[in-house]
């Protein structure tokens, strides 16, 4: 029996990336606590949170015996933007405005951690991808108009690279998918090496 992927995320972008690559995941968003330890790097932060999310779903499956006869693999991810510190999703319009002003006419980094867990076994892995994004200059009015749309509100860094804000991107160094949702090429490699039955 082929394995099923349990995606510990309700992110439309991550779901779309998987479906575009022929995978129909079971969607089980994680409610893991996302508090970070002090003095943690961006790479450590995204791997730490991705693993916590995957472990949360593993524990949920163990306690609720959801489809126990169907082999599965849990994939969880976490993304942050980094510029002079970790930037997550905006808390409000003022927070989003401050973020987009900070990122204007300069570079920043998008880091995504990905965790794989084979439920009920010791088989687990975690890795990260970092992409550098360089923004053009843009006006305060352009920020204001953008914040009147629905795009920024569930996005780390307060923008969607695949949306209307994409016109303000000067350059991307690294994985484009990583900025949209998560690094598909690295995920595909992990599946091919350790869970090839998922891709059959």
């Amino acid at each position: 029996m082929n394995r099923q992927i349990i995606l510990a995320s309700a992110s439309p972008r991550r779901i779309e990336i998987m479906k575009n690559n022929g995978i129909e995941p079971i969607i089980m968003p994680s409610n893991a606590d996302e508090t970070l330890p002090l003095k943690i790097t961006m790479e450590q932060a995204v791997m730490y949170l991705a693993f916590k999310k995957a472990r949360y779903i593993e524990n949920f499956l163990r306690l609720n015996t959801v489809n126990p006869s169907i082999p599965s693999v849990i994939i969880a991810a976490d993304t942050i933007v980094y510029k002079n510190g970790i930037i997550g999703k905006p808390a409000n319009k003022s927070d989003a405005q401050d973020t987009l002003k900070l990122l204007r006419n300069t570079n920043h980094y998008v880091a995504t951690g990905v965790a794989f867990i084979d439920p009920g076994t010791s088989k687990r892995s975690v890795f990260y991808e970092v992409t550098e994004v360089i923004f053009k200059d843009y006006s305060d009015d352009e920020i204001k108009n953008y914040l009147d749309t629905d795009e920024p509100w569930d996005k780390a860094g307060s923008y969607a690279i695949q949306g209307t804000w994409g016109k303000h991107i000067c350059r991307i160094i690294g994985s484009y998918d990583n900025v949209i949702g998560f690094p598909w090429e690295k995920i595909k490699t992990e599946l091919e090496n350790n869970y090839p039955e998922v891709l059959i």
Side-chain angles (χ1 to χ4, degrees), residues 115-131:
F116 279 68
I117 286 182
D118 186 346
T121 76
S122 60
K123 189 175 179 181
R124 49 206 65 212
S125 61
V126 62
F127 55 86
Y128 70 89
E129 177 82 14
V130 177
T131 303

Side-chain angles (χ1 to χ4, degrees), residues 26-47:
I26 298 170
I27 309 304
M28 296 184 68
S30 173
N31 289 319
D33 176 21
E34 297 189 24
T35 304
L36 287 169
L38 297 175
K39 297 181 179 179
I40 191 169
T41 67
M42 66 175 178
E43 297 91 347
Q44 291 168 337
V46 292
M47 290 192 293

